[in-house]
Amino acid sequence: MTTAETSTAVRTVRVPFAGLRSGRWPMPHGQSNVFDWLPHEGSGAVFVGYADLPAGRTVDDVRAAVGVLVSRHEGLRTVYEVGPGVERAQVVTRDGHVDLLLLELGSGAYDRTWISDPPRPFDHGAEFPVRMAVTTDAGVPVRAVFEFSHAVADLVTANLVLDELVGLVASPADRTVGPPVWQPADQAEYERTPQARRRMARTLAYWRQQLHTIPPCLLSVPARREGPPEFRLATLRSGPVAEAIDAVARRTRVTPASVLVTTTATLLSWWTGTELAALEALYSNRALPRMQNFVGSIAQSALVPFSPAPSFHETLRRTHLAIFNAYQYAYFDATAVEESVQSIGSQRGCQRHRDLVINDMSSTRGGVFDGRAGVPVHGTEVESGLDATTTDPVRLTILHTRPTVVVGLTHDVRHVTTDEAAALLWSMERILLTAADRDIDLARLGDLVELDRVVRGPEWVEIDAAWIDITASEQVLRAAAGDPTARIVLRGGPGGSRSLVGYAAPADPRVGPRELHAAVMATLGGRHGAMAPDSYVLCARPPHPPRDEAGWRAQPIRAAGTGR
C-alpha cells in the first residue's frame, strides 16, 4: 500500500497539474449565459456526477489521471471575473495544484453519489469550478464523485470528463496532456469573428420571427388554484410504452424522444384548445463545429413552434423537423435574445411564458428523479404529487426510452393539478399504444384522453391564436392606472380582426399611453392569460356608471395611443 492509500475516513491530497497556457479571455456565450441565471438557482447551480472506476487500480493511478485531466482542460482550472460593473472574463491558470478528497467508506464506497449534501455554491472568483472526490474501500478506489459548477459543465460535459477520467485511470499509457484541444478561450475568440457574428445574426432573426408569431402563453387556462407557484412531479415508467415508442419511431422515421415530445405537446394543445404553441427544448449543441468533446457549458434552449396536423403521425413528422430546424438556432448570446424577448413582449402586450420545457436526458447518465434506473417494468406505472426540483409551468424530462421508458412531468399546480398530470401521462400511454398499430385522427383524440378539455367562461376570448382572460387583464390595467373603474373593451376590426382597447382615468394626470403601457407590462408579472390592451384611451374622469362602454366613449379624451 502506498502512502497515498493510507486509509483514513476523510483525507485531502494535492494533485499537481501543468497545462499549455494561462491567460485572461472574455467569456464565450455559453459561460456568460450561465452567469445570467446562476444567482437565481441556489444549490441548483451545482450538480453532481459520478463514475465507477476500473478494478485493480490504485489511488496513485487516480491522482495521476486527475493531474492529466486538469492539465488538458482549461475550464477545470479557471476562475471567473463577474459582478456589477465588471467586464466578465475567464482567467486560466497554467500550473498549480487541485485538491482530491479521499473518502474511505468501506462497503458504502460503491453507493456514494455526493460529496456534500446539498452541494456548496462555488466562489467562482477564488476556486476552480469542479470539486473532486474518490470513494475507497480499504484504500482501493471505487468511485469518482465530482461536483460541477454549471459555469464549466452541462450534463454532457460532466459525462465527458468522467468518462475521460475512467479511461486515464485504466490506461497509464494515455496519461499525457497531448496536443491542444478546443477550449473555452478559443470559443470566446471565435465568437468575435465575422463568421460567428453572421451566424448569431441568423439566430436572432429566427428567434424574433418565432417571438412575433407564436402566442406567448400555452397554459392560458382558468387557474386551478390561487396563490404562489407550487411545483409537483408526476412520473411514468413503462415497458409496453417503450415498445410502442420504438414501433411509432420506426414507422414515422423520427427519434424516440421526438415521439415523446410530440405526444406531450399534442396532449397539451388539445387540452388547452391551442393551435399554435412554443416548445423550449434544451439542446446540447454538440453538433456545432469542434463541440463534440468540448469541456465547457454550451447547452441552451431551442425555441420550437408546434402546431398539430390532422393526423398524429403527420404531427410527429412535422414536429420532428421543427425541432431539428430549431437546433440550428440554439446557441446564442442570451443577453441579445432577452432584449428581443422584452422588446417583442412589450409590442405584443405579454411577455413570453416558458410553459413547456423539454429536457431529453436519455442519451446521458442523468438520473434526477429516478431511483430505480435499470429496473424493468412490465406494465405501466404512474405516480403523481411527488416533490419537484424544477420550476417550469410544465417540464417534460425524458430519462430513458428503452428498455423501460421513464419520463417525468413537472408542473405548477396552479395550472395543472396532480390528478390532471397523472391523467396526461395515462393518456400518453393510450395514445402511444394506439399509434403503434395505426394512425390517429386528431379530431377524435378525445376518445383516448382521460381528462376533459379546458372549459373557459365568457370572460375569455381568442385573438390571433392566443387565449386572453379579459377580466384578469382588466384587473392588471386598473392596478397599473391606479383607477379602479378602468375597463377593457373587445373591439372588432377589418377582416374579422379583433383587438383590446383599454379605457382609464389614471390617478396621475401626467400619465400618457406610453407610461401606462410600461406600468401594465410591469404589473403583468407572470400571470397566465392576462394581456395588455392593444391601445389605450385615457380620459380625465370615468363615466357613471363606469361599466358603461358608451359612457367611456362619450368622455373627453385626454390622450390616446398604443403606448408602444
Side-chain angles (χ1 to χ4, degrees):
M1 181 178 291
T2 67
T3 303
E5 292 165 346
T6 302
S7 178
T8 57
V10 179
R11 185 182 178 194
T12 300
V13 295
R14 304 193 77 197
V15 179
F17 65 85
L20 298 178
R21 64 178 176 179
S22 62
R24 180 181 183 275
W25 289 268
M27 291 186 193
H29 295 320
Q31 277 180 346
S32 187
N33 296 344
V34 168
F35 281 104
D36 285 340
W37 58 257
L38 213 57
H40 310 292
E41 283 296 305
S43 62
V46 184
F47 69 100
V48 181
Y50 57 89
D52 293 331
L53 298 172
R57 296 300 171 184
T58 67
V59 169
D60 280 348
D61 286 317
V62 178
R63 292 181 68 197
V66 166
V68 172
L69 188 73
V70 176
S71 299
R72 283 181 182 174
H73 300 294
E74 293 175 358
L76 304 181
R77 46 188 168 89
T78 295
V79 295
Y80 304 95
E81 296 176 358
V82 293
V86 174
E87 183 180 0
R88 289 179 177 176
Q90 51 178 322
V91 181
V92 177
T93 300
R94 179 174 181 174
D95 48 49
H97 293 80
V98 293
D99 290 338
L100 176 65
L101 191 66
L102 303 180
L103 304 176
E104 173 56 47
L105 300 172
S107 61
Y110 299 85
D111 301 318
R112 184 66 168 251
T113 59
W114 49 273
I115 298 176
S116 57
D117 189 18
R120 291 185 294 108
F122 281 91
D123 179 355
H124 290 99
E127 62 177 321
F128 296 152
V130 60
R131 301 186 187 107
M132 295 171 280
V134 171
T135 67
T136 60
D137 179 6
V140 177
V142 171
R143 172 175 283 185
V145 184
F146 283 15
E147 288 180 349
F148 294 94
S149 165
H150 272 290
V152 71
D154 48 37
L155 189 58
V156 175
T157 292
N159 289 339
L160 287 170
V161 167
L162 289 166
D163 287 346
E164 189 171 321
L165 174 70
V166 170
L168 290 169
V169 171
S171 178
D174 293 334
R175 293 176 199 161
T176 60
V177 176
V181 296
W182 194 254
Q183 306 281 4
D186 302 315
Q187 181 64 20
E189 291 180 338
Y190 165 73
E191 288 172 6
R192 283 150 181 80
T193 65
Q195 178 186 4
R197 292 181 188 277
R198 287 193 296 270
R199 182 187 184 98
M200 190 55 54
R202 292 192 297 270
T203 295
L204 288 174
Y206 171 86
W207 274 76
R208 291 190 189 106
Q209 178 188 12
Q210 304 306 327
L211 292 169
H212 273 297
T213 304
I214 303 173
C217 187
L218 169 61
L219 293 176
S220 284
V221 299
R224 271 62 186 129
R225 199 198 70 181
E226 300 297 332
E230 181 181 331
F231 300 96
R232 288 291 180 265
L233 170 69
T235 62
L236 177 145
R237 292 176 174 83
S238 176
V241 170
E243 294 176 4
I245 288 172
D246 279 343
V248 173
R250 287 195 304 270
R251 176 175 292 183
T252 57
R253 297 184 178 182
V254 304
T255 64
S258 289
V259 174
L260 284 165
V261 171
T262 303
T263 305
T264 304
T266 300
L267 273 167
L268 287 172
S269 173
W270 176 89
W271 182 54
T272 61
T274 304
E275 292 299 315
L276 179 62
L279 320 180
E280 193 159 315
L282 303 182
Y283 180 52
S284 69
N285 278 310
R286 296 291 161 168
L288 292 173
R290 300 177 293 271
M291 287 300 186
Q292 184 174 2
N293 297 309
F294 180 72
V295 173
S297 191
I298 57 171
Q300 288 185 268
S301 295
L303 186 61
V304 184
F306 172 81
S307 59
S311 80
F312 183 61
H313 286 174
E314 182 56 34
T315 302
L316 282 167
R317 297 184 187 97
R318 175 189 293 182
T319 306
H320 179 76
L321 291 174
I323 290 171
F324 278 82
N325 180 60
Y327 284 166
Q328 300 178 72
Y329 311 105
Y331 187 74
F332 47 80
D333 177 355
T335 300
V337 167
E338 183 60 21
E339 288 174 354
S340 292
V341 168
Q342 295 296 325
S343 173
I344 294 170
S346 178
Q347 294 172 35
R348 299 191 70 181
C350 181
Q351 295 297 350
R352 179 177 72 102
H353 293 264
R354 299 174 74 242
D355 279 347
L356 178 54
V357 176
I358 309 296
N359 190 5
D360 176 16
M361 304 172 72
S362 59
S363 61
T364 70
R365 290 196 295 268
V368 195
F369 53 80
D370 186 28
R372 293 183 287 154
V375 177
V377 177
H378 301 293
T380 298
E381 300 176 359
V382 171
E383 296 181 89
S384 63
L386 307 174
D387 290 339
T389 58
T390 56
T391 56
D392 304 298
V394 173
R395 175 184 287 240
L396 175 71
T397 301
I398 304 170
L399 288 191
H400 308 288
T401 58
R402 60 173 66 90
T404 298
V405 66
V406 181
V407 299
L409 199 67
T410 305
H411 57 101
D412 184 343
V413 298
R414 296 178 304 168
H415 311 302
V416 182
T417 68
T418 55
D419 288 343
E420 288 168 341
L424 287 168
L425 291 178
W426 282 117
S427 300
M428 176 186 290
E429 179 206 40
R430 295 183 67 181
I431 290 170
L432 291 172
L433 293 179
T434 302
D437 293 329
R438 60 175 174 83
D439 200 357
I440 299 170
D441 179 359
L442 292 191
R444 300 187 59 82
L445 188 68
D447 297 343
L448 300 173
V449 179
E450 298 201 0
L451 72 169
D452 296 326
R453 300 186 87 164
V454 168
V455 176
R456 297 178 176 88
E459 70 276 14
W460 288 82
V461 296
E462 188 178 14
I463 301 178
D464 294 333
W467 283 102
I468 302 168
D469 182 346
I470 291 184
T471 299
S473 302
E474 203 168 68
Q475 291 170 351
V476 171
L477 175 63
R478 290 174 176 177
D483 175 12
T485 67
R487 69 167 305 188
I488 290 179
V489 173
L490 181 64
R491 180 168 295 174
S497 64
R498 298 193 293 178
S499 63
L500 301 180
V501 180
Y503 287 92
D508 184 348
R510 296 169 298 178
V511 169
R514 184 175 295 275
E515 292 78 16
L516 181 53
H517 182 64
V520 168
M521 293 301 299
T523 307
L524 277 172
R527 288 179 175 85
H528 283 67
M531 186 169 283
D534 298 290
S535 61
Y536 299 87
V537 177
L538 307 186
C539 304
R541 57 186 177 276
H544 296 285
R547 296 299 300 171
D548 180 15
E549 179 183 346
W552 276 106
R553 289 202 300 266
Q555 293 298 308
I557 296 174
R558 184 170 59 78
T562 66
R564 273 66 168 176

